[in-house]
Amino acid sequence: MRRWRKFRALSSAERRLLLRTAILIACVRAALLLVPFLRLKNYLTSWAARHPCHESLPVERIIWAVRTAAPYIPRATCLTQALAAKYQLERFGHRAQLHIGVAKRDGRFLAHAWLDCDGATVLGGEVAGRYAPLLAIE
């Protein structure tokens, strides 16, 4: 009930952004199961270029929407969130760079994705320092 009250307290524009972002994260999550990563990334990039948003939205609000919606989508990993955020940022006219890093801990191979925008890490940067950068994608 508290979550519902918080949602209702948002402006209608924020509610729309949050719902669209939740749907986007769910679609990206499902697509990652079915489509190769690079094909999905290229599709999202071209779709964002063909369907730009003509309104202005700060980077912080887009990242807020991704961070808020992601916990409600099962298995919305760092890669899922980074791809969804990259798409949203590009639709609103921001340039974003997706990074993927790797680490080995206790004999296990680990990977992490984070997102930079305008020269600053905006998503996933809290633990990015633990990973050796492997790939950066515009």
Side-chain angles (χ1 to χ4, degrees):
M1 196 66 169
R2 194 173 119 231
R3 290 179 188 158
W4 177 248
R5 273 191 235 122
K6 286 175 79 173
F7 181 74
R8 294 287 299 158
L10 297 172
S11 71
S12 61
E14 289 175 321
R15 285 194 301 262
R16 275 193 312 275
L17 174 64
L18 196 55
L19 288 173
R20 286 180 180 158
T21 302
I23 292 167
L24 173 63
I25 292 170
C27 290
V28 168
R29 174 66 187 122
L32 280 170
L33 294 172
L34 303 170
V35 180
F37 166 74
L38 283 178
R39 184 178 294 167
L40 176 60
K41 194 272 311 168
N42 291 337
Y43 176 79
L44 290 172
T45 299
S46 66
W47 185 266
R50 288 192 318 263
H51 299 90
C53 287
H54 300 293
E55 59 190 83
S56 176
L57 195 62
V59 171
E60 295 79 23
R61 289 317 289 166
I62 296 168
I63 299 304
W64 164 82
V66 170
R67 288 182 188 265
T68 303
Y72 297 96
I73 309 301
R75 294 188 175 166
T77 64
C78 56
L79 181 60
T80 303
Q81 294 175 49
L83 275 172
K86 183 176 181 351
Y87 169 80
Q88 286 286 68
L89 287 166
E90 289 174 350
R91 283 194 70 217
F92 283 97
H94 304 284
R95 291 186 51 97
Q97 188 174 40
L98 176 71
H99 297 272
I100 298 176
V102 294
K104 188 173 182 183
R105 242 177 263 130
D106 301 325
R108 291 182 28 213
F109 176 75
L110 304 171
H112 180 61
W114 63 95
L115 197 64
D116 287 348
C117 184
D118 301 327
T121 302
V122 294
L123 186 67
E126 306 83 22
V127 296
R130 299 179 199 160
Y131 296 85
L134 180 66
L135 183 62
I137 301 170
E138 285 291 326

